Amino acid sequence: MDDCIFCKIIEGVIPSKKVFENEDLVAFEDLNPVAPVHVLLVPKRHFANLYEMSSTPQGLETLNSLYKALPELVRACGLESKGFRLINNCGENAGQTVMHVHFHLVGGIPLGPRII
Ligand code: 5GP
Ligand code: ZN
């Protein structure tokens, strides 16, 4: 999609530090990490947010593919023993700033207070 930062990263037009890739998704380091490990897990197909993604059969298939890849990604990031958070911000009230669905994989230190 035009004017989407993450589509441009997926196309290779904007550089990124990739840590994982398969036919459906890519994972790259967040530009402004909040923890020693802060990776964005991004489907190659453009969906604006998790609500839109999970509202279509193709989106649900991609979501399944994303969760299938999670163990390998977690191991690649060295997070398998001490754990992590997987976070999705969906829409305005959640503070989503890039309108291409993505999950933050965060870990590498104790992550502090939870709101839920
Ligand atoms: P959101 O606030 O939408 O949940 O998360 C968007 C994330 O994308 C932020 O953590 C931000 O640091 C990251 N981000 C924004 N632009 C870029 C970019 O050009 N490259 C990378 N690697 N991360 C980006
Ligand atoms: Zn996009």
Side-chain angles (χ1 to χ4, degrees):
M1 173 166 284
D2 294 346
D3 291 334
C4 171
I5 296 171
F6 287 176
C7 281
K8 287 185 177 143
I9 287 177
I10 289 158
E11 288 162 16
V13 176
I14 294 177
S16 70
K17 292 184 185 167
K18 279 186 197 162
V19 298
F20 180 88
E21 183 168 13
N22 69 19
E23 63 175 343
D24 293 324
L25 55 106
V26 63
F28 51 86
E29 292 179 10
D30 196 290
L31 200 57
N32 296 300
V34 299
V37 177
H38 186 173
V39 164
L40 299 172
L41 186 48
V42 184
K44 289 182 175 175
R45 184 183 289 271
H46 181 99
F47 300 96
N49 58 44
L50 183 59
Y51 173 72
E52 290 202 3
M53 184 182 195
S54 52
S55 299
T56 71
Q58 275 176 336
L60 285 173
E61 265 180 39
T62 310
L63 206 48
N64 190 40
S65 168
L66 192 147
Y67 276 105
K68 266 194 197 160
L70 189 65
E72 192 178 343
L73 174 61
V74 164
R75 286 193 296 274
C77 295
L79 298 175
E80 67 275 21
S81 65
K82 290 212 164 176
F84 55 86
R85 284 191 190 143
L86 186 66
I87 298 162
N88 172 258
N89 296 315
C90 180
E92 186 180 344
N93 277 1
Q96 184 180 357
T97 58
V98 177
M99 298 305 162
H100 179 134
V101 66
H102 55 279
F103 293 83
H104 299 253
L105 177 66
V106 184
I109 47 166
L111 290 167
R114 298 164 37 172
I115 61 165
I116 53 162

